[in-house]
Amino acid sequence: MIIVGNGALVTRDQERPFLADGAVAVGDDGLICGVDRLAKLKKAYPQAEFVDAHGGVIMPGLINMHHHIYSAFARGLSLKGYDPKGFMDILEGMWWRLDRALTLEDSYHSATATYLDCLRNGVTTVFDHHASYGTIEGSLDQLSRAAEELGVRTCLCYEVSDRDGEEKCRQAIAENARFMKQAQRRGDDMQYGMMGMHAAFTLSDKTLEACMEALPATAGCHIHVAEGLEDARHSLQTYGKSIVRRLRDKGILGRKTIAAHCIHLSWEDLQILRETDTMVVHNPESNMGNAVGCADIPQYFKTGLMLGLGTDGYTSDMLESYKVANALAKHNSQDPTVGWTEIPTMLFDHNAAMANRYFKTPLGVLKPGAAGDVIVLDYDPLTPMDETNINGHLLFGVNGRSVTTTIVAGKVLMQDRVFQNVDEAKLIADARQQAADLWRRVNA
């Protein structure tokens, strides 16, 4: 077992949110068994290994509710003939072109590099949405293998779409169904599966129905919703109803379904998402980068939606997304008073609640019985810090690279910025070599 101490403890437990000189003890079962002053825990567990926070901040591991591992190798990529004028050009000219070239080897190495980056940034649980139409069958196993080797919790799905024809669509549905069953058999609460879908404008009613037929009762769907105006217009023009109404009518919405982005929604759409208890995930940096618009987060929040935060593959740094989401909410609403409550609630409270619709062990909180997912940040506050202003300190004082130590299920994966069980340099070198090979293939 381990004790993490000698720092300011941020628990996210309402009963005991902050200890200026706190510590957390994690048992051999990967669960937290004690939260108290360091001296008390050392006395209670004298045989425990001590992990020194060096006066930093100790807090629960972060959760990313919408990532795209397959996008990792696009960093720095220059595509021949790529000159996008809008969102559809970006999808067709960059992402669909890239995923059609991905092999199983590409998927594995992009996953190791991405999970490594997540752990560096204190992200211990990742909900990923994968696409690799170059090789579909077995692709989720490559992500699963990488997650297991690095020790991160993950929930995976494959992006079903009609865009590459009926046969590949069928293979994509089968890949989701196979992996969901496989993950369910694990029993270690480290990996789960969902039915991934691209977006409504690339999904026929026949495909939506086939997805639902293959979906077990224990899982839900992970789909992009109204990310671009083109998606919203397509549904109205083709089906005479909004995307959200169409998805509801096909039985896709529900408490285990993730609707990512949700930018171009009506008031009725918001009510449907709330009534079906569907999870909505905001991805601020990606939406800004793709110039697709901005979800009205303050208004969404007022409806009572289960609203969380993701990165859409734009970054693996959730603390960076926290900063951007806060600033974007203010900028979009032209109201400097918004975002202070909504955004930290999304990241620290709702992300954990959403993740726990799949993972059984309580996440995002440091209390007895919760997951031993703990991170340490190198942060020495220049102003007083207590339970009333923790979020302000995190917003303005740290980012992902402030993380020095990352622990998942009681296993110390990174300590003092050094990975303990994997060769970080080799993993990055292998990924870089694989990316160079992919670049040659995609530009051939």
Side-chain angles (χ1 to χ4, degrees), residues 355-368:
N356 273 130
R357 294 186 178 187
Y358 282 85
F359 295 91
K360 299 177 179 64
T361 312
L363 302 177
V365 63
L366 304 182
K367 65 179 182 180

Side-chain angles (χ1 to χ4, degrees), residues 51-52 374-376 403-407 412 414-417:
V51 178
D52 195 343
V374 186
I375 62 175
V376 177
V403 175
T404 60
T405 296
T406 302
I407 299 163
V412 181
M414 182 180 76
Q415 185 169 2
D416 298 327
R417 296 194 174 94

